[in-house]
C-alpha cells in the first residue's frame, strides 16, 4: 500500500520528504488516507482519497463539481477579507493540471491539504459542537445561495428521491440476493409503515411546493472540520454529493446523527431516541443561519426532513443488507441491519415528537 500512496503523492506533486500514512476509517464509501510529509522543517499533512467508482460512476464529474464549489466558496470568503486557508478544501493538481489521477480504470485518486489543526467528530458529544455543525451547514447554504445550479453535474441520480429509494427497496426484497429476507420481515414491514410520511417531502418538491437549492446532501457531523483547540467550526467537507436538493434534506440528514442519543449503529434500541437538547442546538445553529432564505413552506417542513432522511437512510442500510452489503462499508457482520434497526427506532421517535421538533424550528426562525 505504501508504494501506491507514495506514487499518488508524486502524481499530485507533493514536495518534501514522505514520512508515513494512516487510514481514516470513518467514511462508508471512499477510502481515505492521511499522509505526513516533512518540508521546510515542518510536518505537512495531506488527505488522499480513492473515490469509490462503483458509487460515483463518473468521478471526473464529481471533481468538476467539487473544484467549482470550492473555488466559488473560496472567492466568497476572500471577499470578506478573511483568509480562506482553513475555510474551504484545497485540492492539489497533477502535472497535467487535473484535480484527479487515474492509476487504473477503477483506481481514481484525489488529494487535498489536511486542514491545519483540524479535527472532526463522528458523533458530536456536546451541544456546542452540534450547534456549530448546524451553523456550518447553514452558512454553507448561504455561500451557495446564488451558485448557478445548472453548472452542477448530477453525480448520483435520484440520490434523495425517497420514492425511488422505496422502489429500490422493493426490488431488493423481491430479489433477496443473499437469502436474508426471511430474517428481517418485521424490519421490512416497519419501513413500509413509514412510506407515506417519508415520501411526503419529495412529493411536495415534485408538485413545485418546495424549491430545489444547491444542497450538500450528506450533512453528518463528521463532514464538518473543527479547530482542535477552540472547537470553532472551520469548514464543511465531503462535497461529493453537492447537487440540487431540498434544504430540509440537509437539515434532516444532519439531525439523524447529531441529535440521536445513540450511535448510527447503536445495538441497544432502548438507547435510541431524539436528543432534544442536541436537536435544539442544531436547529439554533442551522435555522439561525438560513432563516431569511427560507420560504414559508420550507420552514414548515424542516422537521419533516429529519423524518424523511432518517427513514431513507435506514431503508438504504436495509436495502444494502438484503443486497449482501455491497454499497456501505461495514466493520462487523450484520452492521447494516443494526444501522437499519437503529434508524427505524429513531424515525418512529421523531414522528411521535414531530410537532415539538417543528416548534423548535419555528422558535429559531423568528
Ligand atoms: P468520506 O466520503 O469517506 O466520508 P470524507 O471526505 O468525509 O470521506 O473524509 C473522512 C474524514 O477524513 C473526515 O471526517 C475528516 O475527519 C478527515 N478529513 C477529510 N478531509 C480532510 C481535510 N482536508 N483536512 C482534515 N481532515 C480531513
Ligand atoms: C455515506 O461517505 P459517507 O460516509 O460520508 C453515504 C450517505 C449516507 C451516509 C450514512 C455517497 O456517506 O448518503 O447518508 O453514508 N454517501 C453516499 O452514514 O451514498
Ligand atoms: Mg464524510
Amino acid at each position: 500500500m505504501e508504494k501506491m500512496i507514495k506514487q499518488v503523492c508524486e502524481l499530485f506533486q507533493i514536495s518534501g520528504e514522505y514520512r508515513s500514512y494512516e487510514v481514516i476509517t470513518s467514511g462508508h464509501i471512499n477510502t481515505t488516507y492521511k499522509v505526513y510529509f516533512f518540508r521546510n522543517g515542518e510536518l505537512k499533512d495531506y488527505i488522499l482519497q480513492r473515490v469509490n467508482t462503483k458509487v460515483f460512476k463518473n468521478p471526473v464529474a464529481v471533481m468538476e463539481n467539487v473544484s467549482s464549489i470550492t473555488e466559488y466558496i473560496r472567492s466568497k470568503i476572500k471577499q470578506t477579507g478573511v483568509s480562506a486557508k482553513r475555510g474551504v478544501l484545497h485540492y492539489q493538481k497533477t502535472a497535467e493540471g487535473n484535480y484527479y489521477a487515474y492509476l487504473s480504470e477503477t483506481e481514481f485518486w484525489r488529494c487535498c491539504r489536511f486542514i491545519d489543526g483540524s479535527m472532526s467528530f463522528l458523533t458530536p458529544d456536546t451541544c456546542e459542537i452540534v450547534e456549530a455543525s448546524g451553523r456550518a451547514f447553514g452558512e454553507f447554504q448561504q455561500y451557495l445561495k446564488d451558485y448557478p445550479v445548472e453548472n452542477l453535474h448530477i453525480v448520483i441520480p435520484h440520490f434523495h428521491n425517497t420514492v425511488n429509494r422505496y422502489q429500490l427497496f422493493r426490488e431488493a426484497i423481491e430479489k433477496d440476493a443473499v437469502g436474508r429476507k426471511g430474517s428481517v420481515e418485521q424490519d421490512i414491514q416497519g419501513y413500509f409503515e413509514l412510506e407515506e410520511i417519508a415520501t411526503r417531502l419529495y412529493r411536495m418538491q415534485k408538485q413545485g411546493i418546495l424549491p430545489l437549492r444547491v444542497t450538500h446532501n450528506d450533512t453528518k457531523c463528521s463532514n464538518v472540520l473543527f479547530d482542535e483547540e477552540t472547537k470553532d467550526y472551520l469548514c464543511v467537507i465531503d462535497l461529493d454529493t453537492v447537487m440540487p436538493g431540498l434544504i430540509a434534506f440537509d437539515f434532516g440528514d444532519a439531525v439523524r446523527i447529531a441529535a440521536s442519543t445513540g450511535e448510527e449503529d447503536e445495538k441497544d434500541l432502548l438507547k435510541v431516541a431524539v436528543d432534544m437538547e442536541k436537536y435544539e442546538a442544531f436547529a439554533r445553529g442551522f435555522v439561525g443561519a438560513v432563516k431569511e432564505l427560507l420560504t414559508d413552506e420550507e420552514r414548515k417542513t424542516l422537521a419533516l426532513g429529519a423524518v424523511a432522511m432518517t427513514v431513507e437512510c435506514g431503508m438504504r442500510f436495509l436495502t444494502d443488507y438484503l443486497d449482501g452489503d455491497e454499497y456501505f462499508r461495514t466493520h462487523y457482520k450484520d452492521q447494516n441491519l443494526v444501522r437499519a434497526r437503529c434508524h427505524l427506532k429513531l424515525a418512529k421517535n421523531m414522528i411521535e415528537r414531530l410537532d415539538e421538533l417543528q416548534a423548535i424550528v419555528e422558535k429559531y426562525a423568528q
Side-chain angles (χ1 to χ4, degrees):
M1 193 65 226
E2 194 164 51
K3 204 171 146 221
M4 191 185 264
I5 297 276
K6 285 183 183 169
Q7 188 188 350
V8 177
C9 291
E10 267 176 41
L11 287 170
F12 286 104
Q13 315 183 86
I14 302 179
S15 58
E17 186 194 325
Y18 167 85
R19 283 289 163 94
S20 61
Y21 79 92
E22 61 191 55
V23 187
I24 295 181
T25 56
S26 56
H28 298 344
I29 307 292
N30 297 321
T31 312
T32 306
Y33 302 90
K34 181 175 179 186
V35 185
Y36 298 85
F37 269 73
F38 195 70
R39 190 165 67 232
N40 303 333
E42 276 182 302
L43 274 179
K44 299 277 178 192
D45 315 333
Y46 291 85
I47 289 282
L48 293 192
Q49 279 183 323
R50 194 178 60 219
V51 175
N52 182 330
T53 50
K54 277 197 200 161
V55 169
F56 296 104
K57 297 200 166 52
N58 183 354
V60 174
V62 171
M63 287 317 289
E64 280 174 9
N65 280 359
V66 169
S67 52
S68 167
I69 294 281
T70 50
E71 289 312 321
Y72 189 87
I73 295 179
R74 197 179 336 278
S75 75
K76 289 265 169 178
I77 296 177
K78 283 185 179 161
Q79 278 165 26
T80 66
V82 176
S83 159
K85 199 166 171 240
R86 297 171 86 207
V88 66
L89 291 174
H90 302 255
Y91 279 90
Q92 298 283 121
K93 280 187 178 170
T94 62
E96 296 78 37
N98 295 327
Y99 285 113
Y100 58 87
Y102 271 107
L103 256 59
S104 72
E105 218 176 291
T106 53
E107 288 272 333
F108 183 97
W109 288 81
R110 64 185 172 195
C111 171
C112 64
R113 284 189 226 152
F114 184 93
I115 295 196
D116 289 340
S118 71
M119 64 173 300
S120 64
F121 296 86
L122 209 50
T123 39
D125 44 10
T126 67
C127 284
E128 286 72 27
I129 296 295
V130 172
E131 180 173 343
S133 73
R135 218 166 36 244
F137 286 116
E139 287 176 8
F140 184 77
Q141 277 295 321
Q142 287 285 0
Y143 282 134
L144 295 175
K145 66 174 191 251
D146 298 320
Y147 181 90
V149 62
E150 64 281 1
N151 286 3
L152 285 177
H153 301 285
I154 308 296
V155 290
I156 305 184
H158 307 297
F159 191 61
H160 284 318
N161 174 343
T162 319
V163 172
N164 184 254
R165 294 285 180 189
Y166 265 96
Q167 181 56 29
L168 298 177
F169 182 46
R170 287 192 164 83
E171 286 167 19
I173 297 165
E174 177 71 24
K175 195 166 172 204
D176 193 19
V178 290
R180 287 174 168 174
K181 183 171 92 175
S183 60
V184 295
E185 295 286 3
Q186 262 194 332
D187 307 282
I188 292 174
Q189 187 52 34
Y191 275 102
F192 279 134
E193 280 163 17
L194 306 186
E195 183 168 5
E196 191 284 321
I197 190 162
T199 54
R200 223 177 266 173
L201 275 181
Y202 182 75
R203 284 180 281 118
M204 287 174 80
Q205 182 241 307
K206 278 287 155 212
Q207 289 158 17
I209 300 169
L210 294 170
L212 280 176
R213 296 178 180 277
V214 177
T215 47
H216 182 283
N217 296 310
D218 187 4
T219 51
K220 54 188 183 187
C221 192
S222 57
N223 290 334
V224 179
L225 296 182
F226 292 85
D227 183 289
E228 252 176 344
E229 277 173 19
T230 63
K231 305 289 185 288
D232 288 335
Y233 100 79
L234 298 171
C235 69
V236 163
I237 61 167
D238 204 347
L239 307 173
D240 299 339
T241 51
V242 172
M243 284 184 282
L246 298 183
I247 198 165
F249 291 162
D250 272 7
F251 178 80
D253 194 39
V255 163
R256 157 186 93 77
I257 297 277
S260 170
T261 52
E263 306 284 319
E264 189 181 44
D265 63 338
E266 178 57 63
K267 291 193 182 83
D268 180 356
L269 295 183
L270 292 174
K271 288 192 188 153
V272 180
V274 185
D275 182 324
M276 293 304 280
E277 262 184 71
K278 285 191 177 152
Y279 175 84
E280 178 147 3
F282 188 83
R284 194 158 51 235
F286 186 90
V287 180
V290 298
K291 60 184 177 190
E292 82 279 10
L293 290 181
L294 297 174
T295 65
D296 280 353
E297 290 302 331
E298 282 184 309
R299 194 195 67 247
K300 284 186 213 156
T301 51
L302 279 192
L304 191 57
V307 174
M309 286 297 96
T310 306
V311 174
E312 183 190 280
C313 192
M315 184 177 54
R316 289 173 66 198
F317 289 135
L318 189 54
T319 304
D320 196 33
Y321 182 72
L322 289 163
D323 287 341
D325 306 315
E326 291 282 326
Y327 187 96
F328 294 107
R329 183 177 298 124
T330 54
H331 302 279
Y332 57 85
K333 190 173 163 290
D334 295 349
Q335 188 174 10
N336 272 322
L337 178 59
V338 174
R339 289 167 172 157
R341 288 185 170 154
C342 172
H343 280 59
L344 187 58
K345 171 76 194 293
L346 182 61
K348 285 181 178 169
N349 188 242
M350 285 173 174
I351 293 167
E352 279 161 22
R353 310 191 78 154
L354 191 53
D355 290 345
E356 262 176 277
L357 298 179
Q358 186 55 33
I360 291 169
V361 167
E362 300 293 342
K363 174 170 159 191
Y364 292 104
Q366 294 313 309

